[in-house]
Amino acid sequence: MVYRIKGSIKDDMNRPLSDLVVEIYDKDVINDDLIGIIKSEDGNFEFTYNTKSFKKGFEILEKGPDLYLVIKDKHGILYKSEVRSNASKDEVFDIIIKQMYEDPYSDSLTKIINAFSNLGDTIERDRIDPEKVIPQMIRMISSWAYYTKEEVMHSIGYDGPQVPRYAKRVEHEHKIPWRIR
Amino acid sequence: MNKIFGLENIEKRKEAYEVIREDILEEADVCVIGSGAAGAIIASKLARNGLSVVLLEKGGYYDAEDMNQREADMIPLLWKNNGAIFTDDLRIVIVQGECLGGSTVINDAVCFATPKIIRDEWRRLGVNISDDEWDKAIDEVWRSINVSKVTYEELNKNNLLLKKGCELKGYKGSENYRNCKECMQCGFCHLGCHYETKQDMLVTYIRAALHEPNARIKIYCNCTAEEITHSNGIVDGINGKFIDKLNNVRFNIRVNAKVVVISAGAIASSLLLMKNGIAISKAGKGLSLHPAGHLIAKFDEEINAHQGIPMSYTCHEFGVTNGRYGGFLIEGIFLPIFQFAMGLPTFLVEHAKMMEDLKYYAMAGVLVRDQSNGNIELVNGKAKIHYEISELDLKTASEGLSRLAEIWFDLGAKEVITEHIDMPRLKSKEDIPIFVDTILKNPKGINFASAHPQGGNRMGEDSSTCVVDSHCKVHDFNNLFVCDASVFPTSVGVNPQITIMALAVMTADHILNNWSSFSSINKKRLAKVCTLEQTMYCSKDRLEMLFNTEKGKGIEKIVNSGSWSFDEESMMIYNDKHWRGFFPQDASHNIIRYFGGFWKRFYREDNTIKGITHAYEPNIDAPNIAELRDDLILLKYTSPEYSIFYDLLKMVSDDVILGKAFIGLPPHGIHILTFSMCRRYSIEFMSEDDHETIYQSAKVPEEDALIGRWNGRLVSDSILTPVTHTFTFKKGDKLSMEYLFANLLRGESSIEITKKELKLYDFTNWNDEVRMVNEKFMIGKYCSPSFDIKLEHLPSFLDIEEINGRKRLVLRYILEKSIY
């Protein structure tokens, strides 16, 4: 009997992903059998196989294969599908590979500490007037701590940012209230 | 494929983007370092005209929707060193961009064509650029970045006040030209443009190159160039590193290029030249900053200066734009709230009180066209910026501030707030002369800021005083260019972006028009990046990946011939006595890294291929037998004590084998180690035998060739020792040498150059014997006195040598000339 697997691989922005390795397995009690390997093209893949591919001599009890897919790129595994027990003749897998996105604004504090340690290497201690520098530092730290808070800005009449902090995650309009005079 | 690469994975990138997960080796026609006003234009123009370009940017790639108008997020993201770049006395803060697009992403988009008198002055100083050339380049830039004049309706109240003030005084002034299309007037220019209306490099030149189907450009972000490799005035590429936002080095990059252009910005470009010993005693000199002071005026009515375009009007009366050589511009400006808070002279309670009046403040700055009094010093690989404001510049600044104070009072300001520690407030016009006196008496009491560092790599035809010629090509180099504000011979007196961009256009055109003289340069280096030829630089994961994806090339060529050679030109050792083993760079056990080296040797006996696996520590020779299985080689250990091990080898090229070691029985063994073995490796991976052979044929160093700093690394059969010591040779009356061992023990050695070698004597009874391989590489031994005691067991990096029948202990090392 001829079995067929087809499907699509997209990222979470619905863009097709090509050149990924799709490995098709039959889950068994002891060792899972590799049924076949194909590559995705324009985000699609298709593979046909027959009963021999998954029924080894003593596996007479097995009806359809217990299918699962492993998707890899050149660096390793990106995705493992669920196992479909007793898979039918035609199985369709529509796979979305979610990316682990970083928060671009995290680690600001570490960056600031790094910045000060870099700065330390580039100053001439004898040329620095502590009476002037210390108030400046206090002003910098307190201003950073205080005036970067939106409630504080608003309380003194500063309009503050006009877009959401994570603008990419939220639908938002581009409107500037004071532009219409 | 045209793409941006980088370490960060941020959602919804506007441009095609790929996260880097391994070392990179690139071949390109041109490598451009820095993606700001100059670098982006050069890279884009060259890529769109048929050359392959690799563009490196130290900062990250962020598009408009990442720019969220919040200082706490944007300053660490877009500003170089978080905005914390200061002169060495902490008096002047210097703001530069560090992101794809450079400072053009965070500037106020103000555009001034290079003033006529500046072009004339630079020509007198040896810059061979005609007015026609300037005009043509500026015109091209002007169109490409959509420069237009601010309309009257676009002036906010702050800038309107300045306009009114200039008119009252009869001063010449005008609305600014800006590279902005349908500006939203949000006022957050310093934090990147969320609306993509600012026509910075990212949305103009860089985007144009990425989307041009015939262009060939690869942009690497989070990537810093460290080393410019060159010999005899010809540069062959760069070595760099990918550094993540927490300052960890993640991967290496090597770019082989026919032309290298440094556009890292003033300061950083000089620093890169200095680090590489290029233009010594010229680079880093003559820095100017455009020191800018500001005055804040408090009015009775609401100004809301933070609303609208911050910089839209300029008073030209006293500046280069009005034909004055020294002088200053008065420019309307307002800052986002944190930066504004930093500019108020008080702190704590009084500061908070002043901040409450935010809506009532107007602000303008005085940009001083300064002399070139700064210089850059290289300290621990970083730039120490020394800058003294000259008496003349201080007078200019105080004149500018007093004129501005007059304007504010004429317009009805209730008080004027200064940045001078001794006189933070002016109550009326009568205070102005006292304020000027205060500045001149205590110049250190006032703060200046700089957004326009310039100079350091002066342009001019005189190669004895200038770093680059009129085409931005570094003197005495065939194919190295520096193009950015660092080449300005004197300060330009206006916001510099258009001048930088015009120079970039001219430089790009020069490279294109003369490409035939660069295209034949074809020297390639592999550098220290992980590739299939250089598996010794690969991590465990990368080796694993190569093992899984590369096809094996059989077993025939695995047999060793016994030959050995060393190529001085490429500094590569070809060792076919055996296969030298290499552990992955990230092998977790230091024991393995420092003591556990190995080799395998293969030979043919009857019809089978047999081998020996030799470990240095402990000293073992284990016999093997090799069999081909598909494209893999199964290597069994035949003696009973090692028969629980086996290896799977894959010969991926004539000189490289990838391997995995297992414990157990094939095919069910437990994988314990991934490694590689090479016949050809660079000199730094030499074994103790290699060390001795090369030492024997090396030369006695000459005194002059020794001068400089040399980094020493111990040589052991197990490879991969870090830098353990440095030797610094100096020549005053006579040659002297200072050693630093383990960054701890410092001292001076006495020097003797014999017919055989250079001998160095420190305070112990051991001594160094050193010979030179070439001007960048020496090879040495640290030798004990001779003795007769029998030693049984030594750590692998300690060798025993027999001389005239007596034995001595020898610590072997190599010395590489430091680029610092």
Side-chain angles (χ1 to χ4, degrees), chain A residues 73-75 102 105 111 118 121-122 124 127 132 139 150 159 162-163 165 168-169 172 174 178 181, chain B residues 9 11-12 21-22 65-66 69-70 73 88 153 155 185 306-307 342 344 382 384 388 447 545:
Chain A
D73 71 358
K74 63 177 178 175
H75 299 285
E102 289 168 44
Y105 317 125
K111 282 192 202 166
N118 285 339
D121 280 352
T122 61
E124 193 68 68
R127 282 167 51 80
K132 195 159 164 281
R139 196 194 311 162
E150 281 180 48
D159 296 272
Q162 301 297 305
V163 294
R165 182 164 183 230
K168 282 184 172 173
R169 296 182 195 165
H172 58 282
H174 290 164
W178 55 81
R181 275 196 296 187
Chain B
N9 192 14
E11 63 204 287
K12 297 182 187 166
R21 289 188 278 185
E22 61 201 36
E65 289 283 318
D66 294 319
Q69 307 181 336
R70 283 155 180 83
D73 292 335
D88 63 357
E153 289 68 36
L155 291 176
Q185 304 166 31
H306 64 274
Q307 299 178 343
M342 283 296 298
L344 288 179
K382 292 172 187 150
K384 189 187 242 185
E388 287 290 353
N447 280 339
M545 197 272 284

Short mmCIF file of all heavy atoms in Angstrom, two decimals, chain A residues 73-75 102 105 111 118 121-122 124 127 132 139 150 159 162-163 165 168-169 172 174 178 181, chain B residues 9 11-12 21-22 65-66 69-70 73 88 153 155 185 306-307 342 344 382 384 388 447 545:
data_model
loop_
_atom_site.label_atom_id
_atom_site.label_comp_id
_atom_site.label_asym_id
_atom_site.label_seq_id
_atom_site.Cartn_x
_atom_site.Cartn_y
_atom_site.Cartn_z
N ASP A 73 17.52 22.33 10.51
CA ASP A 73 18.33 23.14 9.59
C ASP A 73 19.77 22.71 9.80
O ASP A 73 20.03 21.73 10.51
CB ASP A 73 18.11 24.65 9.80
CG ASP A 73 18.70 25.16 11.08
OD1 ASP A 73 19.26 24.35 11.86
OD2 ASP A 73 18.62 26.37 11.34
N LYS A 74 20.72 23.45 9.22
CA LYS A 74 22.10 22.96 9.28
C LYS A 74 22.67 22.99 10.70
O LYS A 74 23.69 22.40 10.97
CB LYS A 74 23.00 23.74 8.32
CG LYS A 74 23.12 25.21 8.63
CD LYS A 74 24.08 25.87 7.66
CE LYS A 74 24.17 27.35 7.95
NZ LYS A 74 25.16 28.02 7.14
N HIS A 75 21.97 23.70 11.59
CA HIS A 75 22.49 23.77 12.95
C HIS A 75 21.83 22.77 13.89
O HIS A 75 22.27 22.61 15.02
CB HIS A 75 22.29 25.17 13.52
CG HIS A 75 23.02 26.21 12.74
ND1 HIS A 75 24.38 26.38 12.82
CD2 HIS A 75 22.59 27.11 11.82
CE1 HIS A 75 24.75 27.35 12.01
NE2 HIS A 75 23.69 27.80 11.39
N GLU A 102 14.16 37.73 20.86
CA GLU A 102 14.75 38.40 22.01
C GLU A 102 14.03 39.71 22.27
O GLU A 102 13.48 40.32 21.37
CB GLU A 102 16.21 38.73 21.72
CG GLU A 102 17.11 37.54 21.70
CD GLU A 102 18.47 37.90 21.13
OE1 GLU A 102 19.01 38.95 21.52
OE2 GLU A 102 18.97 37.12 20.31
N TYR A 105 15.10 45.38 24.38
CA TYR A 105 15.33 46.39 25.42
C TYR A 105 15.83 45.78 26.73
O TYR A 105 16.01 46.48 27.71
CB TYR A 105 14.06 47.20 25.68
CG TYR A 105 13.35 47.59 24.41
CD1 TYR A 105 12.00 47.27 24.19
CD2 TYR A 105 14.03 48.26 23.40
CE1 TYR A 105 11.37 47.62 23.02
CE2 TYR A 105 13.39 48.61 22.21
CZ TYR A 105 12.06 48.29 22.03
OH TYR A 105 11.45 48.62 20.86
N LYS A 111 24.27 46.82 30.18
CA LYS A 111 24.97 47.62 29.18
C LYS A 111 25.50 48.91 29.80
O LYS A 111 26.60 49.35 29.48
CB LYS A 111 24.02 47.98 28.04
CG LYS A 111 23.78 46.88 27.06
CD LYS A 111 23.07 47.50 25.87
CE LYS A 111 22.30 46.52 25.07
NZ LYS A 111 21.39 47.17 24.14
N ASN A 118 33.92 50.72 30.69
CA ASN A 118 34.70 51.17 29.53
C ASN A 118 35.21 52.59 29.76
O ASN A 118 36.35 52.91 29.45
CB ASN A 118 33.84 51.21 28.26
CG ASN A 118 33.58 49.82 27.73
OD1 ASN A 118 34.31 48.89 28.04
ND2 ASN A 118 32.54 49.67 26.95
N ASP A 121 38.45 53.25 31.82
CA ASP A 121 39.76 53.08 31.18
C ASP A 121 40.20 54.33 30.43
O ASP A 121 41.36 54.45 30.07
CB ASP A 121 39.69 51.94 30.14
CG ASP A 121 39.79 50.59 30.80
OD1 ASP A 121 40.06 50.57 32.02
OD2 ASP A 121 39.61 49.57 30.13
N THR A 122 39.27 55.23 30.14
CA THR A 122 39.60 56.31 29.21
C THR A 122 39.66 57.68 29.89
O THR A 122 39.66 58.69 29.21
CB THR A 122 38.57 56.37 28.07
OG1 THR A 122 37.28 56.64 28.65
CG2 THR A 122 38.51 55.07 27.30
N GLU A 124 41.44 60.39 32.82
CA GLU A 124 42.70 60.73 33.47
C GLU A 124 42.33 61.24 34.86
O GLU A 124 41.82 62.35 35.00
CB GLU A 124 43.39 61.83 32.65
CG GLU A 124 44.83 62.09 32.99
CD GLU A 124 45.74 60.94 32.61
OE1 GLU A 124 45.92 60.69 31.40
OE2 GLU A 124 46.26 60.31 33.54
N ARG A 127 43.04 64.72 36.19
CA ARG A 127 42.44 65.87 35.52
C ARG A 127 40.97 66.08 35.89
O ARG A 127 40.30 66.95 35.35
CB ARG A 127 42.57 65.71 33.99
CG ARG A 127 43.97 66.03 33.47
CD ARG A 127 44.18 65.57 32.05
NE ARG A 127 43.16 65.98 31.08
CZ ARG A 127 43.09 67.19 30.52
NH1 ARG A 127 43.97 68.11 30.82
NH2 ARG A 127 42.15 67.46 29.65
N LYS A 132 32.96 68.90 40.72
CA LYS A 132 32.08 69.10 39.58
C LYS A 132 31.48 67.76 39.11
O LYS A 132 30.31 67.69 38.75
CB LYS A 132 32.89 69.72 38.44
CG LYS A 132 32.06 70.31 37.37
CD LYS A 132 32.85 71.31 36.57
CE LYS A 132 32.12 71.58 35.27
NZ LYS A 132 32.33 70.54 34.27
N ARG A 139 23.25 63.73 39.37
CA ARG A 139 22.19 64.22 38.50
C ARG A 139 21.87 63.18 37.42
O ARG A 139 20.72 62.92 37.11
CB ARG A 139 22.65 65.52 37.83
CG ARG A 139 21.53 66.31 37.23
CD ARG A 139 22.04 67.39 36.30
NE ARG A 139 23.10 68.18 36.90
CZ ARG A 139 23.95 68.94 36.20
NH1 ARG A 139 23.86 69.00 34.88
NH2 ARG A 139 24.88 69.64 36.80
N GLU A 150 7.30 57.03 32.91
CA GLU A 150 6.30 57.80 32.17
C GLU A 150 5.40 58.61 33.07
O GLU A 150 5.03 59.74 32.74
CB GLU A 150 5.51 56.89 31.24
CG GLU A 150 6.35 56.62 29.99
CD GLU A 150 5.69 55.72 28.97
OE1 GLU A 150 4.52 55.98 28.65
OE2 GLU A 150 6.36 54.79 28.51
N ASP A 159 4.97 65.28 27.24
CA ASP A 159 4.02 64.37 26.63
C ASP A 159 4.50 62.92 26.60
O ASP A 159 3.69 62.00 26.62
CB ASP A 159 3.68 64.81 25.22
CG ASP A 159 3.00 66.16 25.22
OD1 ASP A 159 1.77 66.18 25.34
OD2 ASP A 159 3.70 67.19 25.17
N GLN A 162 5.04 58.56 22.05
CA GLN A 162 3.75 58.56 21.36
C GLN A 162 3.41 57.20 20.77
O GLN A 162 2.44 57.05 20.05
CB GLN A 162 3.79 59.61 20.24
CG GLN A 162 4.08 61.02 20.73
CD GLN A 162 2.99 61.53 21.65
OE1 GLN A 162 1.81 61.54 21.28
NE2 GLN A 162 3.34 61.92 22.86
N VAL A 163 4.26 56.21 21.07
CA VAL A 163 4.02 54.86 20.53
C VAL A 163 4.19 53.85 21.66
O VAL A 163 4.85 54.14 22.66
CB VAL A 163 5.01 54.53 19.38
CG1 VAL A 163 4.77 55.43 18.19
CG2 VAL A 163 6.46 54.64 19.84
N ARG A 165 5.60 50.74 23.87
CA ARG A 165 6.99 50.33 24.09
C ARG A 165 7.36 49.18 23.16
O ARG A 165 8.38 49.22 22.50
CB ARG A 165 7.19 49.92 25.55
CG ARG A 165 8.62 49.54 25.83
CD ARG A 165 8.93 49.51 27.32
NE ARG A 165 10.35 49.20 27.50
CZ ARG A 165 10.80 48.25 28.32
NH1 ARG A 165 9.97 47.55 29.05
NH2 ARG A 165 12.09 48.02 28.41
N LYS A 168 6.09 46.59 17.94
CA LYS A 168 5.90 45.52 16.96
C LYS A 168 4.82 44.53 17.40
O LYS A 168 4.34 43.75 16.59
CB LYS A 168 7.22 44.78 16.76
CG LYS A 168 8.18 45.52 15.86
CD LYS A 168 9.43 44.72 15.61
CE LYS A 168 10.28 45.42 14.55
NZ LYS A 168 11.58 44.78 14.38
N ARG A 169 4.52 44.53 18.68
CA ARG A 169 3.57 43.52 19.16
C ARG A 169 2.15 44.08 19.24
O ARG A 169 1.22 43.33 19.49
CB ARG A 169 3.98 43.04 20.56
CG ARG A 169 5.30 42.33 20.53
CD ARG A 169 5.65 41.82 21.91
NE ARG A 169 7.06 41.46 21.94
CZ ARG A 169 7.75 41.26 23.05
NH1 ARG A 169 7.14 41.39 24.24
NH2 ARG A 169 9.02 40.93 23.01
N HIS A 172 -0.85 49.95 16.39
CA HIS A 172 -0.93 51.32 16.92
C HIS A 172 -0.96 52.31 15.78
O HIS A 172 -0.51 52.03 14.67
CB HIS A 172 0.28 51.59 17.83
CG HIS A 172 1.60 51.43 17.14
ND1 HIS A 172 2.16 50.19 16.89
CD2 HIS A 172 2.45 52.33 16.61
CE1 HIS A 172 3.31 50.34 16.25
NE2 HIS A 172 3.51 51.62 16.05
N HIS A 174 -0.14 56.14 14.13
CA HIS A 174 0.88 57.18 14.17
C HIS A 174 0.21 58.54 14.13
O HIS A 174 -0.13 59.04 13.07
CB HIS A 174 1.85 57.00 13.00
CG HIS A 174 2.72 55.79 13.14
ND1 HIS A 174 3.43 55.24 12.11
CD2 HIS A 174 3.01 55.03 14.23
CE1 HIS A 174 4.11 54.19 12.55
NE2 HIS A 174 3.86 54.03 13.83
N TRP A 178 0.15 67.38 18.89
CA TRP A 178 0.48 68.80 18.76
C TRP A 178 0.75 69.22 17.32
O TRP A 178 1.02 70.36 17.03
CB TRP A 178 1.67 69.16 19.64
CG TRP A 178 2.89 68.31 19.40
CD1 TRP A 178 3.80 68.48 18.41
CD2 TRP A 178 3.32 67.19 20.16
NE1 TRP A 178 4.77 67.51 18.49
CE2 TRP A 178 4.50 66.71 19.57
CE3 TRP A 178 2.81 66.54 21.30
CZ2 TRP A 178 5.19 65.61 20.08
CZ3 TRP A 178 3.49 65.45 21.79
CH2 TRP A 178 4.67 64.99 21.18
N ARG A 181 -2.05 72.25 14.72
CA ARG A 181 -2.10 73.48 15.51
C ARG A 181 -3.19 74.40 15.01
O ARG A 181 -3.42 74.46 13.81
CB ARG A 181 -0.75 74.21 15.44
CG ARG A 181 0.23 73.69 16.46
CD ARG A 181 1.36 74.64 16.62
NE ARG A 181 2.13 74.73 15.37
CZ ARG A 181 3.28 75.41 15.26
NH1 ARG A 181 3.74 76.05 16.31
NH2 ARG A 181 3.94 75.45 14.14
N ASN B 9 18.12 38.16 17.68
CA ASN B 9 16.94 37.69 16.94
C ASN B 9 15.72 38.46 17.42
O ASN B 9 15.09 38.12 18.40
CB ASN B 9 16.76 36.19 17.16
CG ASN B 9 15.75 35.60 16.21
OD1 ASN B 9 15.38 36.24 15.23
ND2 ASN B 9 15.31 34.40 16.49
N GLU B 11 11.91 40.18 16.57
CA GLU B 11 10.79 39.83 15.70
C GLU B 11 10.55 40.88 14.60
O GLU B 11 10.92 42.03 14.74
CB GLU B 11 9.53 39.67 16.54
CG GLU B 11 9.10 40.94 17.25
CD GLU B 11 8.26 40.65 18.48
OE1 GLU B 11 7.11 40.26 18.31
OE2 GLU B 11 8.78 40.81 19.59
N LYS B 12 9.91 40.44 13.56
CA LYS B 12 9.41 41.28 12.46
C LYS B 12 10.43 42.26 11.91
O LYS B 12 10.24 43.47 11.94
CB LYS B 12 8.16 42.05 12.91
CG LYS B 12 7.00 41.16 13.25
CD LYS B 12 5.79 41.99 13.65
CE LYS B 12 4.68 41.09 14.17
NZ LYS B 12 3.63 41.81 14.86
N ARG B 21 25.36 31.99 13.75
CA ARG B 21 25.59 30.96 14.76
C ARG B 21 26.94 30.28 14.60
O ARG B 21 27.16 29.20 15.14
CB ARG B 21 24.44 29.95 14.70
CG ARG B 21 23.15 30.56 15.25
CD ARG B 21 22.07 29.56 15.39
NE ARG B 21 21.40 29.33 14.11
CZ ARG B 21 20.33 28.55 13.99
NH1 ARG B 21 19.85 27.92 15.02
NH2 ARG B 21 19.76 28.39 12.81
N GLU B 22 27.81 30.89 13.81
CA GLU B 22 29.13 30.28 13.62
C GLU B 22 30.12 31.33 13.13
O GLU B 22 29.73 32.45 12.79
CB GLU B 22 29.02 29.14 12.60
CG GLU B 22 28.55 29.64 11.25
CD GLU B 22 27.95 28.55 10.38
OE1 GLU B 22 27.28 27.66 10.92
OE2 GLU B 22 28.15 28.62 9.17
N GLU B 65 10.26 50.38 13.81
CA GLU B 65 9.29 49.95 14.82
C GLU B 65 9.96 49.49 16.12
O GLU B 65 9.31 49.31 17.14
CB GLU B 65 8.40 48.83 14.25
CG GLU B 65 7.41 49.30 13.20
CD GLU B 65 6.20 50.04 13.79
OE1 GLU B 65 5.68 49.58 14.82
OE2 GLU B 65 5.79 51.07 13.23
N ASP B 66 11.29 49.29 16.08
CA ASP B 66 12.01 49.00 17.33
C ASP B 66 12.31 50.28 18.10
O ASP B 66 12.63 50.24 19.28
CB ASP B 66 13.36 48.31 17.04
CG ASP B 66 13.19 46.93 16.43
OD1 ASP B 66 12.29 46.21 16.89
OD2 ASP B 66 13.96 46.59 15.52
N GLN B 69 10.96 55.60 21.21
CA GLN B 69 10.89 56.96 21.76
C GLN B 69 11.18 57.02 23.26
O GLN B 69 10.91 58.03 23.90
CB GLN B 69 9.53 57.60 21.44
CG GLN B 69 9.19 57.54 19.96
CD GLN B 69 7.88 58.19 19.59
OE1 GLN B 69 7.00 58.31 20.42
NE2 GLN B 69 7.75 58.61 18.35
N ARG B 70 11.70 55.94 23.82
CA ARG B 70 12.00 55.93 25.25
C ARG B 70 13.52 55.97 25.45
O ARG B 70 14.22 55.09 24.95
CB ARG B 70 11.42 54.67 25.90
CG ARG B 70 9.92 54.77 26.11
CD ARG B 70 9.29 53.40 26.17
NE ARG B 70 7.84 53.50 26.36
CZ ARG B 70 6.96 53.69 25.37
NH1 ARG B 70 7.38 53.82 24.13
NH2 ARG B 70 5.67 53.76 25.63
N ASP B 73 15.35 52.90 26.84
CA ASP B 73 15.52 51.79 25.91
C ASP B 73 16.45 52.15 24.76
O ASP B 73 17.26 51.34 24.31
CB ASP B 73 14.17 51.37 25.32
CG ASP B 73 13.26 50.75 26.36
OD1 ASP B 73 13.79 50.22 27.36
OD2 ASP B 73 12.03 50.81 26.19
N ASP B 88 39.03 62.90 28.50
CA ASP B 88 39.65 62.25 29.67
C ASP B 88 39.47 63.03 30.98
O ASP B 88 39.71 62.50 32.06
CB ASP B 88 41.14 61.95 29.40
CG ASP B 88 41.96 63.20 29.17
OD1 ASP B 88 41.37 64.30 29.16
OD2 ASP B 88 43.18 63.09 28.99
N GLU B 153 5.53 76.64 8.82
CA GLU B 153 4.53 75.93 9.63
C GLU B 153 5.17 74.84 10.49
O GLU B 153 4.62 74.43 11.49
CB GLU B 153 3.46 75.29 8.73
CG GLU B 153 2.50 76.25 8.05
CD GLU B 153 3.19 77.12 7.00
OE1 GLU B 153 4.10 76.61 6.32
OE2 GLU B 153 2.84 78.31 6.89
N LEU B 155 8.00 75.12 12.08
CA LEU B 155 8.78 75.64 13.21
C LEU B 155 7.95 75.52 14.48
O LEU B 155 6.81 75.96 14.52
CB LEU B 155 9.13 77.11 12.97
CG LEU B 155 10.11 77.46 11.84
CD1 LEU B 155 10.23 78.97 11.71
CD2 LEU B 155 11.48 76.85 12.10
N GLN B 185 7.11 65.36 13.25
CA GLN B 185 7.35 66.40 14.25
C GLN B 185 7.14 65.88 15.68
O GLN B 185 6.57 66.56 16.52
CB GLN B 185 6.46 67.62 13.99
CG GLN B 185 6.65 68.20 12.59
CD GLN B 185 5.56 69.18 12.19
OE1 GLN B 185 5.01 69.86 13.05
NE2 GLN B 185 5.25 69.23 10.92
N HIS B 306 9.46 70.75 23.69
CA HIS B 306 9.67 69.33 23.34
C HIS B 306 8.73 68.88 22.23
O HIS B 306 8.93 67.82 21.64
CB HIS B 306 9.46 68.45 24.57
CG HIS B 306 8.07 68.48 25.12
ND1 HIS B 306 7.64 69.42 26.00
CD2 HIS B 306 7.00 67.69 24.87
CE1 HIS B 306 6.37 69.22 26.29
NE2 HIS B 306 5.97 68.17 25.61
N GLN B 307 7.70 69.67 21.95
CA GLN B 307 6.78 69.30 20.88
C GLN B 307 7.29 69.86 19.56
O GLN B 307 7.53 71.06 19.44
CB GLN B 307 5.38 69.86 21.17
CG GLN B 307 4.77 69.34 22.46
CD GLN B 307 3.41 69.95 22.76
OE1 GLN B 307 3.05 70.97 22.18
NE2 GLN B 307 2.68 69.35 23.67
N MET B 342 19.67 66.32 32.31
CA MET B 342 21.12 66.32 32.48
C MET B 342 21.72 67.71 32.24
O MET B 342 22.80 68.02 32.73
CB MET B 342 21.75 65.34 31.48
CG MET B 342 21.62 63.90 31.85
SD MET B 342 22.49 63.56 33.37
CE MET B 342 24.16 63.96 32.86
N LEU B 344 20.45 70.62 33.11
CA LEU B 344 20.16 71.63 34.14
C LEU B 344 21.29 71.61 35.18
O LEU B 344 21.78 70.54 35.54
CB LEU B 344 18.82 71.35 34.81
CG LEU B 344 17.58 71.63 33.97
CD1 LEU B 344 16.32 71.28 34.76
CD2 LEU B 344 17.51 73.07 33.51
N LYS B 382 41.51 50.87 24.04
CA LYS B 382 40.42 51.85 24.01
C LYS B 382 40.98 53.25 23.76
O LYS B 382 42.17 53.48 23.91
CB LYS B 382 39.67 51.84 25.35
CG LYS B 382 38.90 50.56 25.54
CD LYS B 382 38.34 50.47 26.93
CE LYS B 382 37.72 49.09 27.14
NZ LYS B 382 37.79 48.68 28.53
N LYS B 384 41.54 57.01 24.62
CA LYS B 384 41.50 58.05 25.65
C LYS B 384 41.58 59.38 24.89
O LYS B 384 42.51 59.61 24.11
CB LYS B 384 42.71 57.87 26.57
CG LYS B 384 42.67 58.76 27.79
CD LYS B 384 43.97 58.64 28.54
CE LYS B 384 43.73 58.08 29.92
NZ LYS B 384 44.96 58.05 30.72
N GLU B 388 41.87 69.98 25.06
CA GLU B 388 41.91 71.25 25.80
C GLU B 388 41.22 72.29 24.96
O GLU B 388 41.61 72.53 23.83
CB GLU B 388 43.37 71.69 26.02
CG GLU B 388 44.16 70.90 27.03
CD GLU B 388 43.74 71.11 28.47
OE1 GLU B 388 42.88 71.99 28.74
OE2 GLU B 388 44.24 70.37 29.33
N ASN B 447 30.10 73.15 31.28
CA ASN B 447 30.01 71.88 30.54
C ASN B 447 29.78 72.13 29.07
O ASN B 447 29.00 73.02 28.70
CB ASN B 447 28.81 71.07 31.04
CG ASN B 447 29.13 70.35 32.32
OD1 ASN B 447 30.30 70.13 32.64
ND2 ASN B 447 28.11 69.97 33.05
N MET B 545 28.30 19.28 13.52
CA MET B 545 27.51 19.60 12.34
C MET B 545 28.27 19.23 11.06
O MET B 545 27.71 18.63 10.15
CB MET B 545 27.18 21.10 12.39
CG MET B 545 26.08 21.54 11.49
SD MET B 545 26.69 21.96 9.88
CE MET B 545 27.44 23.55 10.22
#
